[in-house]
């Protein structure tokens, strides 16, 4: 099942915000602890690494799952 841009946007905007983990087809995982560090675009997600001067673009088409961070820990 493909993840949709709208689904990710809803998680980022949810009040109250709940941290979540993005898992990609390559096995990389990105923990979203702060919604201000993520921008959901049409086909990619801009992800800024917390407390680092680094960022990456995550293709939405490569996301295999999104997990609740509390249950994934």
């Amino acid at each position: 099942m493909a993840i949709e841009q709208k689904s990710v946007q809803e998680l980022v905007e949810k009040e109250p915000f709940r941290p979540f983990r993005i898992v990609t087809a390559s096995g990389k995982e990105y923990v979203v602890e702060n919604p201000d560090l993520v921008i959901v675009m049409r086909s990619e997600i801009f992800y800024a690494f917390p407390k680092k001067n680094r960022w990456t673009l995550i293709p939405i088409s490569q996301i295999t799952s999104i997990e609740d961070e509390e249950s994934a820990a």
Side-chain angles (χ1 to χ4, degrees), residues 19-32:
F20 60 94
R21 178 185 316 253
I22 296 171
V23 181
T24 66
S26 67
K28 291 185 181 178
E29 298 182 358
Y30 303 89
V31 177
V32 180

Side-chain angles (χ1 to χ4, degrees), residues 60-72:
I60 294 174
S61 64
Q62 295 300 306
I63 297 174
T64 56
S65 67
I66 297 177
E67 304 168 354
D68 180 45
E69 180 55 16
E70 292 176 8
S71 65

Side-chain angles (χ1 to χ4, degrees), residues 22 24 28-34 36-39 45-58:
I22 296 171
T24 66
K28 291 185 181 178
E29 298 182 358
Y30 303 89
V31 177
V32 180
E33 296 176 340
N34 181 341
D36 294 334
L37 298 179
V38 175
I39 299 172
I45 296 171
F46 174 92
Y47 176 86
F49 291 90
K51 302 178 185 173
K52 296 182 181 177
N53 192 22
R54 282 186 41 214
W55 59 270
T56 191
L57 293 174
I58 305 168

